[in-house]
Amino acid sequence: MDFYNFRLPLLIILAALGCCSGSSPLATDKINGVVGKNVTFKTTVVSTPDILTVTWTFNKGQPIAMVTVIPSSNTVSVRPPYVNRISCNRTTFQLQLGPLVKEDTGEYILTIVTNNGDLVTGQIDLEVLEPVTDVKISSNVLEPVEFNSTVVLTCSAKGSFTYKWINGSVPLVVDGTHMQLNAVGNELKISEVRRTDLQGPIVCIAENALESGKSAPFNLTVSYGPENILMNQFPTDTYLKKGSTLTLTCTADSNPPATIQWVFNGVNLPSNAVSSPANFTLNNLEEKNSGNYTCVAYNAQTKRYIASRVAFVTVVGKSKP
């Protein structure tokens, strides 16, 4: 058995048994990388005059020699499947691996043997993360109705990540009852949704230890109303002269905008009897125009309606000459 083939199993056994002296030659014991990119295992080695050999091994001491460095002969040996994927600094023995694949996740052991026969080892755990891509938000309800709908927003993405939600420019705050996040963090549930819950735009951020991705802004439009209906009358007098003009206007808060229906003495007026849906003008008033006027606002999406106050009008006197 040649020196190389004898040394490798021996070093692996010693490393597994924890036979080492001195502190770890590695700068850290954990590191993250991303598929398709490179990762660098940094060491604390600053000089090499007393070092006989340096060996990197992978996967819990299995006899897979990645890199063997012999400083005295200035040689570096890389074994499959790491050929063309590894570079090693011959002074610090810092190792660069890439482009990474998911199978590179595991334990990496650096073993240093000095000329005095001392053995120094260090272990570093590499986790290879999937890159974050295709982050987007979807809703289970396309046209939610205020107080009626339970909305579930789902953030989906490709890769290894955790989730964050942004409402407008600040982190989204949930209360655990009305607004809840699932354990994974990718589903946001709003029970009996209100128009003020997510004024947005809403953004989902999927991230891992090294990178992040952001969804396109998402706006949740909540249907509500009608409410706060207001009918104005001009002139405001209850008694109006024959031949004069009466104008009524009607507004209501509603999303989508409400349909306005005018009612005279309990009977719906046809659309061609009014100048516009929100404005009703009667010219040349006659006695037959005396009565009760009301406007009703209706939202076809929420299926709700609301009626205004009643305007009482009595037409009296003679028409103007």
Side-chain angles (χ1 to χ4, degrees), residues 6-319:
F6 173 78
R7 183 182 67 254
L8 176 59
L10 175 61
L11 295 183
I12 293 172
I13 293 171
L14 292 175
L17 293 175
C19 299
C20 60
S21 63
S23 59
S24 172
L26 294 171
T28 183
D29 60 358
K30 291 183 180 179
I31 194 170
N32 293 317
V34 177
V35 170
K37 298 183 179 181
N38 296 337
V39 69
T40 300
F41 302 117
K42 296 182 179 180
T43 71
T44 58
V45 178
V46 293
S47 62
T48 62
D50 296 327
I51 294 178
L52 178 62
T53 62
V54 175
T55 304
W56 281 94
T57 57
F58 173 53
N59 269 356
K60 302 178 181 179
Q62 294 179 17
I64 301 176
M66 290 170 48
V67 178
T68 300
V69 183
I70 304 177
S72 60
S73 62
N74 200 29
T75 61
V76 177
S77 173
V78 180
R79 301 186 68 188
Y82 302 100
V83 177
N84 299 324
R85 295 183 59 224
I86 278 182
S87 63
C88 186
N89 186 293
R90 300 188 185 189
T91 301
T92 64
F93 313 119
Q94 179 172 287
L95 189 74
Q96 184 180 82
L97 172 62
L100 293 172
V101 295
K102 191 65 177 177
E103 291 72 22
D104 289 326
T105 294
E107 298 176 353
Y108 292 74
I109 297 175
L110 171 61
T111 304
I112 299 175
V113 179
T114 70
N115 290 324
N116 296 327
D118 293 328
L119 180 67
V120 181
T121 68
Q123 176 180 305
I124 184 169
D125 294 326
L126 170 65
E127 181 179 3
V128 180
L129 306 172
E130 296 285 350
V132 178
T133 58
D134 297 335
V135 185
K136 57 186 177 182
I137 297 175
S138 59
S139 175
N140 68 320
V141 181
L142 297 179
E143 297 179 328
V145 175
E146 189 173 39
F147 305 121
N148 285 11
S149 300
T150 292
V151 175
V152 178
L153 300 183
T154 301
C155 181
S156 60
K158 295 179 181 178
S160 307
F161 40 72
T162 57
Y163 298 91
K164 290 182 180 178
W165 293 83
I166 304 297
N167 186 6
S169 60
V170 298
L172 182 71
V173 178
V174 298
D175 58 14
T177 53
H178 172 64
M179 194 176 297
Q180 306 173 58
L181 274 175
N182 66 350
V184 177
N186 68 322
E187 285 189 0
L188 174 64
K189 179 180 179 181
I190 308 103
S191 301
E192 298 180 351
V193 67
R194 301 160 196 163
R195 75 194 79 167
T196 56
D197 283 334
L198 301 173
Q199 295 181 333
I202 309 303
V203 173
C204 173
I205 299 174
E207 60 185 4
N208 57 38
L210 299 178
E211 60 181 16
S212 66
K214 182 184 296 185
S215 72
F218 180 89
N219 289 289
L220 181 68
T221 301
V222 179
S223 300
Y224 61 86
E227 59 192 27
N228 301 324
I229 191 168
L230 177 64
M231 183 176 68
N232 290 314
Q233 174 187 340
F234 182 82
T236 58
D237 301 329
T238 300
Y239 295 93
L240 300 177
K241 290 183 179 181
K242 186 177 181 180
S244 63
T245 298
L246 170 66
T247 299
L248 301 171
T249 63
C250 186
T251 60
D253 294 335
S254 178
N255 184 47
T259 300
I260 302 298
Q261 174 66 58
W262 290 96
V263 181
F264 175 56
N265 288 336
V267 178
N268 292 345
L269 293 175
S271 58
N272 59 5
V274 297
S275 54
S276 70
N279 296 279
F280 179 29
T281 299
L282 285 173
N283 297 308
N284 298 317
L285 288 173
E286 301 178 13
E287 288 86 348
K288 67 179 182 178
N289 298 129
S290 298
N292 304 328
Y293 292 86
T294 307
C295 69
V296 177
Y298 175 72
N299 185 325
Q301 182 63 34
T302 65
K303 311 300 182 185
R304 299 170 187 159
Y305 64 89
I306 187 173
S308 72
R309 67 176 181 86
V310 178
F312 301 97
V313 174
T314 301
V315 180
V316 296
K318 298 180 179 180
S319 62

